[in-house]
Amino acid sequence: AMPAADLTANAVLNGQSARIDTRLTIGAALLTVAGTAPMGAGAMDLTANLRNLPASLASVADPSLHASGTIAANARLTGTTARPQGTIRLTASGVRVASGPGAAMPAADLTANAVLNGQSARVDTLLNVGPSHFTMTGTAPLGAGALDLRTAGRIDLAMLDPVLTAEGRRVRGILTLDTTIRGTTTAPLVAGTVRLARGGADDFTQGMHLSDIAAELRADGQRLQLVQFSGRAGPGTLSGSGTIDLRPPMPVHLQFVASNAEPIASDIVSARLDSRLTIAGDVSGTVLVDGTVFVRQANVQVPEKLPASVVTLPVRFAGAPPPPKPAAGQAGQATSTNIALHITVNAPQQVFIRGRGLDVELGGRIQVGGTATSPQLTGGLQMRYGTLSVVGQTLTFSSGTIEFTGASLSNPAIDLVATESTSTTVATLTVSGSAQNPKITLSSVPQLPQDEILAALLFQQSTGSLSPFQIAEIGAALASFSGATSGMGDPLDNMRKSLGLDRLGVGTSANGAPTVQAGRYVARGVYVGAQQSATGSGTQAIVQIDLAKGLRLQTTAGTGSTTATGASSGGDAASVGLTYQFQY
């Protein structure tokens, strides 16, 4: 696809020099070179012009590089090859990547001028990319020598959106540069400041969101100093400071503090925390990230499981090569710096796991070790309180742990157990697996069918003692656990959720009449609700307080046909009673 090229070259040799006249055309591009060139060391007097060179010719050097825009240049060179003099001017207009995510980035315009003066060059460069600009002026050596350059610029980080958005990331802010580069080419000394204002960073796949970032990095030739770093993470704040020595082995010492920060808030995990972390070591060797993280509150939301008929298929575009496999022992090693971790995560309480009927609070401690590329988590969280709501009934977990050993921070292993004992059966419901893919299993001693285990767990009865509505609820629960529930799910449970109720069900009164019951827990173990006859002839308010396992204080008031203890009554009634339930 390269355009045709035409070349005309004439040279007249004259001892130690040559008189040349060259003309090269490639499509619309034209390159001319004329004048006297030395044959070895000697004087020269050359003029060169380049016009309309398409940036797409870069694909000749790299077939994967597709670019658009035009490049032009002209030069007037005199002096000798050892001490050249003259001027060089280069311009590039509308240059941009023509394929991939970078194609949506703003086009770049470059103007570069250099005045050669024997052993050095006076440079003046201007680069514009959309609203961003960068300049470099000063003196640079032609080979080894002294540097005296000044750089300045204003970069709008939003221009990176086309590249970062494809990876689920986004950055915001205005980056301002004002630096000088002195010293020599072998030992440059950088001084000046780099400031970031109105900054922000988002990682949508991880749920990370930082805003109002302000930072200032100052260099004094031998050292970089983080003078200021501040920002917001949800309702809290972030701050940091420290230094990086530019001399080998480049020792670093940085401190970062978070107060009531919420750096991660996704559909799966959100957390508010305080932290104090120190980063110390040598950039050319090992850097240790050490400190503590105190979790004020964390929420792990268990997603609803997909129906059994939905299958996730691996998709690969036709003609696309398979993804490369990481080399053994090299995966994730982006730099030679080894970043070691020694972080203690202390979460004594208010770590909640909710979703799919779970409502669990935990607390504990986690130790994060290993390296940044391969973190090792040990420890876990122990259950403080937990319940599981199933088809309008609530089970209380008797024990539970969340283990992070060998698991990621956002997908820990779950082990929650609820047990209900009767005179003949010990029924157990276990929630295991991971936070993103929990598994619910039923077991009993002696071993019983699944519906019998659920009847003992939910109603402390055998299936032979259940009403038709309760049997239907047992079936809906089994379908939910197995993942075979249809897209509509359990209509009664869907209505309960939409009304914000903890309990909504259809039962029977003491005389066998159908009733509708609804209510919610206003505190732990305190239930407030109402029940009404399906015929609309009686309504009762109910307050139940769990005093101990199986022992409950219950009060009723209204026009119901039963008292708190289940005895028949007529007309308006109010009662207070104790109930104790067991199976014999």
Side-chain angles (χ1 to χ4, degrees), residues 257-505:
V257 177
S259 177
N260 195 32
E262 191 175 33
I264 298 177
S266 68
D267 293 338
I268 300 295
V269 177
S270 63
R272 284 192 295 111
L273 51 87
D274 302 327
S275 70
R276 183 176 294 273
L277 300 177
T278 300
I279 303 174
D282 297 330
V283 173
S284 59
T286 299
V287 174
L288 174 64
V289 181
D290 185 27
T292 59
V293 176
F294 177 80
V295 180
R296 295 187 178 206
Q297 186 182 80
N299 291 280
V300 178
Q301 187 68 33
V302 179
E304 294 296 328
K305 198 171 183 178
L306 293 175
S309 59
V310 177
V311 180
T312 303
L313 299 177
V315 177
R316 194 172 71 199
F317 293 103
K325 296 181 179 180
Q330 299 296 322
Q333 295 182 0
T335 67
S336 59
T337 303
N338 181 32
I339 302 177
L341 303 177
H342 186 267
I343 302 172
T344 300
V345 181
N346 188 19
Q349 59 185 359
Q350 295 195 58
V351 178
F352 298 102
I353 297 181
R354 297 186 174 105
R356 296 192 67 197
L358 286 171
D359 186 0
V360 181
E361 180 187 355
L362 306 106
R365 178 173 297 200
I366 306 163
Q367 190 69 40
V368 183
T371 64
T373 56
S374 181
Q376 303 295 322
L377 280 70
T378 57
L381 307 176
Q382 291 73 45
M383 188 188 71
R384 295 169 56 86
Y385 172 78
T387 61
L388 174 65
S389 296
V390 184
V391 292
Q393 304 294 324
T394 300
L395 295 175
T396 300
F397 289 110
S398 55
S399 64
T401 59
I402 303 297
E403 292 289 342
F404 290 87
T405 303
S408 68
L409 189 62
S410 61
N411 192 29
I414 298 177
D415 184 15
L416 303 172
V417 179
T419 302
E420 189 68 42
S421 299
T422 68
S423 60
T424 59
T425 304
V426 178
T428 303
L429 180 146
T430 304
V431 181
S432 60
S434 66
Q436 297 181 17
N437 187 26
K439 299 177 182 179
I440 298 178
T441 56
L442 301 173
S443 60
S444 66
V445 178
Q447 186 61 43
L448 296 174
Q450 299 286 283
D451 57 343
E452 287 285 356
I453 298 173
L454 268 182
L457 283 167
L458 300 179
F459 305 108
Q460 296 80 48
Q461 303 177 46
S462 65
T463 53
S465 304
L466 300 180
S467 69
F469 300 104
Q470 291 172 327
I471 293 175
E473 288 182 321
I474 293 292
L478 287 173
S480 174
F481 294 162
S482 66
T485 306
S486 66
M488 179 178 291
D490 180 6
L492 197 62
D493 196 44
N494 291 339
M495 182 180 295
R496 178 187 64 82
K497 293 178 181 178
S498 64
L499 294 175
L501 300 174
D502 292 319
R503 185 182 300 174
L504 178 63

Side-chain angles (χ1 to χ4, degrees), residues 23 142 157 170 203 227 365 378 411 456 464 471 508 511 518:
R23 181 185 179 90
L142 299 175
L157 297 181
R170 184 180 67 180
D203 188 325
V227 179
R365 178 173 297 200
T378 57
N411 192 29
I471 293 175
T508 56
N511 57 16

